[in-house]
Amino acid sequence: MILADVFELWNNIWPAGAIMIGLGTAFALVLLIASEKLKVVVDPKIEQIHEALPKIDCGTCGYAGCGQYAKAIFDNPELIGKCSPGGAAASAKIAEILNLQISDSGPKKRPIVHCRAHKDDKTIYAQYEGIKSCTAANALANVQACAFGCLGYGDCVAACKFDALHIVDGLATVDYNKCTGCTACSKACPRNLIEMVPFSQENMMTVACRNKENGKTTRAVCRVGCIGCGICAKQSDLFKVEDNLARLDYAKYVPCEKTEAAMNKCPVKVIIYRGKSAPQPAMPTEKPVPVSK
Amino acid sequence: MSVTSKKSLTFPGGIHPPEKKSLTINSKIHTGFMPKEVAVLLSQHIGAVCEPLIRKGSLVQAGQKIGDCDAYVSAPIHSPVTGKVKEIALRSHAVIGRIPAVIIETLPAHPVKKGCVQFDEEFDINKYSVEKICEAVREAGIVGMGGAGFPTRVKIEPNPRLPKTTMIVNGCECEPYITCDYQIMLEWTKQILIGVKLAKKASGCSKAFIGIEDNKPQAIEMMETVLNSLGTDEIEIIPVKTKYPQGGERQLIRSILKKNVPTGGIPPMIGVLVLNVATCAAIAEAVVADVPLTHRVVTVTGEAIAEPGNYYVPIGTSIETLLEVCGGVTQKSARVIMGGPMMGIAIADLTTPTTKTTGAVTVITKEQMGMAKFERRETACIHCGRCLAVCPENLNPTRIAHAVKNNLMDVAKSYYITACIECGCCSYVCPAHIEITGYIKTGKIFLARQKKKIP
């Protein structure tokens, strides 16, 4: 009896199954034919270029993601070299795929924060109680005494997609092990403190200050601010003092005795190393000048 | 024509915060004050920054031009005192940050300018041609003294592309605490009205309205009396409703003319010229007496000031000196604001000098700050819509603020973030204590940065 029931059930089911299989086969055939007839020819090179890129979709190149950028490079090879995280290595790979010769674009660029003042190093006239954002704070002209230094509200931290930037004791600090050089932080800083620098060495020497005030005023507001004394420029030609501020020519920088001497003789110790294994910077020996306010 | 016979005109939206003008309302303008040192900023206006014309160590006379620029949109800068140039160094500006300033040490024995120049003789408008007025206004370095600081010559000069037909004089002073314009209207009425006539002639306007808030009946009466004695000449005094921001130029035009200035546009697009009363007095001084703009009336006020009042000070006096003159601040002082409490900017550096646009210095106490409800108490938006009701520009402030907070600048733009006049009404009424205007201001900076493409 049970067997009869099973047969009856089977008789009822199989036509439906057959129709489904038939339909499936028919549509599969349609799709197969369509995929052959209407095929979009994608150059395998685009895929290869995409593989050569870091695939982190950071948007530094100005395109929505690495895939878009790969397509753009394929259409116009002049766009090679816009990928900062990939750097020279990625550019060379892409050039190889496209059979092109590219000039050496130099070492990878990494951000350097041009300020080294932690909370205790700088003078603050008044307590800021507004929106916790550097852009908002910067709209208030004298939110901290130094009009050039790091505000420490972390617009750059918010912009960093790789967790490579942190506010450490009131100062934006780059974690060079995590940094991909995507330039997002340098665009986010309202005071333009973060500059993309070609890292020819693992640790780059830098003048970590942007204060253009005269020495006396700088001293009054910050104990590690550049006072434009020019001692470094006397030691090494790579340093230049303009507008009361020393600047280092990063493109020509190679570690040597002269630059070391400039660093050691700097009275406010504003010349420091930044990089993956940068040593702890020295502090100036003098006490900060108390400012009565 | 009495005050009550006219119904006060107004605009949609706006708020009425406590006026607090009683602190300084009866304070006559104190003149004759001279600081030991002034720091005259080289950019006190919208437009190109001036180049210094003098060097360190040179002697300058009061009224001597010390900074100028070839650009059309700019205004020269004059020394308010006779003295020696100590140095040209960076000084704080409340809005643009550290900019170069000429620091002048006052020589002890020299005449002090005592208030606005008095005109005794009969005023004859026909003596002054349009070109002469424009040139005198430019040479005197006059800028909009209501706060924006746009060079007045550019505003009043006839422009064939944007012909002006109506002139509005802004005597509203809607911001709480401030009374400097009110005092000017009472004491220097004649100068203001002569300035109005001159500006009206120069700009080619056929009609002029003077808008004064109806909480200043004495000023309205005084202006009417003097106007009648000088000859009305198509000038009319219009009492407007006491409401903030009545003194915003777009709102004043809406109130008096019932016309809307296009979004993102300026008043000349609908043929209107708006000038502040203090600017008009300065125009009269410059054209009739050939005196440059070197002094202005500043209201130093607030609960934390020992002797609040209106002071006629040389431009470039530091806030510190100004506070000393007013007997210093009391122990309770919590915040120094350049301008009024609604639109002013809190300053931390007391060496900040006053500029041509500084109308007031307000020092408020902690209790007042608590009433102004800011920060640390921000809660979630409850969608009550009060900000929409008070926005004088009919915007949706919370939407814009939240878009900026979440970094959605496209959304903020689609809600017309650029049309915001930053009056602060939305922040004032917000029951969730969201600093809406602050976010909108920040958003505008973000937009400007995006446009500039800073590397």
Side-chain angles (χ1 to χ4, degrees):
Chain A
M1 285 304 284
I2 292 162
L3 207 65
D5 279 353
V6 170
F7 269 118
E8 200 187 333
L9 193 70
W10 170 246
N11 280 339
N12 286 337
I13 285 171
W14 79 261
I19 288 167
M20 288 312 291
I21 291 164
L23 276 174
T25 323
F27 285 133
L29 277 171
V30 169
L31 282 177
L32 191 74
I33 293 162
S35 76
E36 279 301 310
K37 289 267 178 194
L38 307 170
K39 191 173 184 179
V40 179
V41 188
V42 178
D43 201 295
K45 279 181 181 171
I46 294 182
E47 194 49 42
Q48 284 174 15
I49 295 170
H50 190 200
E51 286 297 321
L53 290 169
K55 291 203 270 190
I56 48 176
D57 297 336
C58 64
T60 310
C61 50
Y63 293 90
C66 292
Q68 293 278 321
Y69 180 49
K71 263 183 215 161
I73 292 181
F74 185 74
D75 292 340
N76 179 12
E78 280 178 19
L79 294 170
I80 294 178
K82 289 199 173 220
C83 180
S84 339
S91 301
K93 246 190 214 170
I94 296 165
E96 206 184 299
I97 294 163
L98 295 172
N99 257 336
L100 291 168
Q101 289 287 322
I102 54 159
S103 54
D104 186 21
S105 62
K108 279 189 181 185
K109 285 191 169 179
R110 290 288 177 263
I112 283 183
V113 181
H114 284 82
C115 180
R116 67 156 298 192
H118 290 276
K119 228 175 225 160
D120 301 338
D121 299 332
K122 55 193 173 192
T123 316
I124 292 164
Y125 291 146
Q127 194 187 353
Y128 174 65
E129 297 185 333
I131 301 163
K132 293 272 174 284
S133 144
C134 300
T135 312
N138 194 33
L140 231 63
N142 31 42
V143 60
Q144 70 181 24
C146 176
F148 301 87
C150 181
L151 290 160
Y153 293 107
D155 278 15
C156 48
V157 178
C160 184
K161 289 178 183 169
F162 306 101
D163 193 34
L165 253 164
H166 300 280
I167 301 293
V168 178
D169 197 16
L171 174 69
T173 312
V174 183
D175 182 347
Y176 288 95
N177 290 316
K178 286 182 185 166
C179 179
T180 59
C182 74
T183 72
C185 51
S186 79
K187 284 175 193 159
C189 182
R191 289 189 160 181
N192 292 332
L193 281 178
I194 307 180
E195 189 187 326
M196 297 307 290
V197 170
F199 263 62
S200 54
Q201 317 293 325
E202 193 179 74
N203 296 319
M204 287 292 284
M205 190 175 274
T206 176
V207 182
C209 187
R210 275 286 159 86
N211 196 322
K212 289 179 189 160
E213 307 258 10
N214 60 27
K216 196 181 151 204
T217 321
T218 310
R219 278 252 167 161
V221 299
C222 178
R223 75 168 163 154
V224 286
C226 178
I227 52 173
C229 62
I231 292 175
C232 51
K234 276 178 203 152
Q235 303 294 326
S236 166
D237 298 341
L238 293 176
F239 291 94
K240 257 194 194 114
V241 179
E242 266 173 21
D243 298 339
N244 298 318
L245 173 64
R247 286 165 197 274
L248 172 63
D249 192 344
Y250 294 112
K252 289 184 195 153
Y253 171 71
V254 241
C256 66
E257 276 174 23
K258 283 179 177 174
T259 52
E260 281 293 324
M263 186 171 101
N264 293 332
K265 288 201 173 164
C266 178
V268 284
K269 303 287 173 214
V270 71
I271 302 171
I272 54 169
Y273 278 117
R274 289 270 195 238
K276 276 184 186 168
S277 53
Q280 189 66 30
M283 287 309 285
T285 43
E286 304 162 60
K287 292 244 166 179
V289 186
V291 181
S292 58
K293 255 286 107 64
Chain B
M1 234 182 341
S2 74
V3 179
T4 44
S5 69
K6 277 184 199 163
K7 199 172 168 271
S8 297
L9 302 165
T10 188
F11 62 96
I15 52 170
H16 191 175
E19 286 169 24
K20 304 264 185 182
K21 295 199 192 246
S22 54
L23 284 171
T24 52
I25 198 110
N26 294 320
S27 157
K28 290 264 173 285
I29 299 167
H30 301 290
T31 56
F33 155 67
M34 185 52 60
K36 286 204 183 81
E37 187 183 286
V38 291
V40 190
L41 294 173
L42 284 170
S43 176
Q44 308 193 11
H45 48 262
I46 290 174
V49 180
C50 289
E51 288 294 321
L53 299 176
I54 33 81
R55 263 181 299 168
K56 184 179 169 177
S58 47
L59 287 169
V60 287
Q61 296 296 317
Q64 186 187 334
K65 203 194 268 185
I66 52 172
D68 203 353
C69 175
D70 291 335
Y72 180 63
V73 183
S74 83
I77 285 157
H78 302 82
S79 168
V81 295
T82 304
K84 197 175 165 197
V85 178
K86 200 173 157 197
E87 56 179 335
I88 294 166
L90 296 180
R91 283 287 180 276
S92 298
H93 182 286
V95 183
I96 39 185
R98 301 288 283 180
I99 55 164
V102 180
I103 291 135
I104 306 167
E105 259 181 348
T106 319
L107 289 182
H110 85 89
V112 177
K113 194 179 173 212
K114 298 240 183 209
C116 197
V117 179
Q118 299 292 331
F119 306 133
D120 298 327
E121 61 209 73
E122 199 77 0
F123 172 71
D124 181 16
I125 187 95
N126 296 324
K127 275 204 311 204
Y128 309 99
S129 69
V130 173
E131 289 77 33
K132 197 183 163 193
I133 299 170
C134 291
E135 198 47 41
V137 167
R138 146 90 198 165
E139 282 306 305
I142 296 175
V143 301
M145 285 160 84
F150 195 79
T152 305
R153 184 258 197 126
V154 181
K155 260 166 115 174
I156 64 166
E157 205 164 44
N159 183 347
R161 281 186 297 134
L162 296 166
K164 293 175 271 278
T165 54
T166 322
M167 180 173 150
I168 290 181
V169 180
N170 189 346
C172 291
E173 202 161 59
C174 55
E175 183 108 12
Y177 287 100
I178 309 177
T179 55
C180 62
D181 285 357
Y182 174 69
Q183 279 308 326
I184 294 173
M185 283 191 279
L186 286 182
E187 294 187 27
W188 300 335
T189 326
K190 198 177 169 190
Q191 285 92 325
I192 293 172
L193 291 168
I194 289 173
V196 173
K197 286 188 176 184
L198 289 166
K200 184 164 158 277
K201 183 175 179 183
S203 57
C205 291
S206 53
K207 190 106 181 79
F209 297 102
I210 303 175
I212 303 172
E213 275 190 349
D214 54 11
N215 65 345
K216 305 178 185 68
Q218 279 180 314
I220 296 172
E221 213 171 292
M222 187 80 187
M223 292 283 270
E224 296 223 333
T225 321
V226 179
L227 182 61
N228 288 334
S229 71
L230 279 174
T232 47
D233 190 22
E234 292 293 307
I235 299 170
E236 204 181 316
I237 304 206
I238 311 262
V240 287
K241 199 179 167 189
T242 306
K243 190 155 107 179
Y244 178 86
Q246 188 68 263
E249 58 177 11
R250 302 169 69 94
Q251 280 61 45
L252 195 58
I253 292 169
R254 179 72 185 71
S255 296
I256 294 178
L257 302 176
K258 304 272 173 263
K259 274 189 203 165
N260 284 321
V261 182
T263 304
I266 47 169
M269 285 178 178
I270 54 166
V272 182
L273 164 72
V274 185
L275 289 177
N276 182 269
V277 282
T279 320
C280 289
I283 291 173
E285 260 192 316
V287 177
V288 181
D290 205 14
V291 173
L293 176 57
T294 55
H295 288 60
R296 76 154 295 156
V297 180
V298 178
T299 307
V300 187
T301 180
E303 277 82 359
I305 293 274
E307 297 159 28
N310 292 304
Y311 293 84
Y312 191 65
V313 297
I315 288 159
T317 313
S318 73
I319 302 285
E320 216 169 4
T321 331
L322 208 52
L323 295 179
E324 271 167 31
V325 169
C326 305
V329 293
T330 57
Q331 285 289 317
K332 285 190 286 177
S333 68
R335 189 173 289 178
V336 182
I337 305 167
M338 212 152 174
M342 296 299 289
M343 280 192 79
I345 291 168
I347 55 162
D349 182 2
L350 290 183
T351 56
T352 306
T354 55
T355 66
K356 289 175 186 173
T357 55
T358 310
V361 176
T362 315
V363 185
I364 53 173
T365 58
K366 206 147 206 162
E367 292 91 72
Q368 300 299 320
M369 260 166 69
M371 276 158 78
K373 54 184 177 184
F374 268 145
E375 233 284 304
R376 292 210 203 100
R377 288 193 277 148
E378 180 175 321
T379 54
C381 173
I382 56 166
H383 298 273
C384 61
R386 283 182 216 178
C387 51
L388 279 87
V390 298
C391 181
E393 288 291 321
N394 298 325
L395 298 172
N396 189 341
T398 28
R399 278 291 160 94
I400 304 175
H402 284 120
V404 173
K405 210 173 172 181
N406 297 309
N407 208 4
L408 301 168
M409 292 318 296
D410 292 346
V411 179
K413 250 196 253 175
S414 71
Y415 280 101
Y416 300 100
I417 180 168
T418 47
C420 173
I421 58 163
E422 297 170 13
C423 63
C425 290
C426 43
S427 307
Y428 183 83
V429 295
C430 184
H433 308 324
I434 302 171
E435 211 176 323
I436 304 170
T437 320
Y439 282 114
I440 295 178
K441 271 188 178 180
T442 314
K444 284 184 176 176
I445 301 168
F446 278 136
L447 275 184
R449 281 179 66 83
Q450 273 179 13
K451 261 188 212 155
K452 253 196 208 162
K453 287 254 175 228
I454 295 162

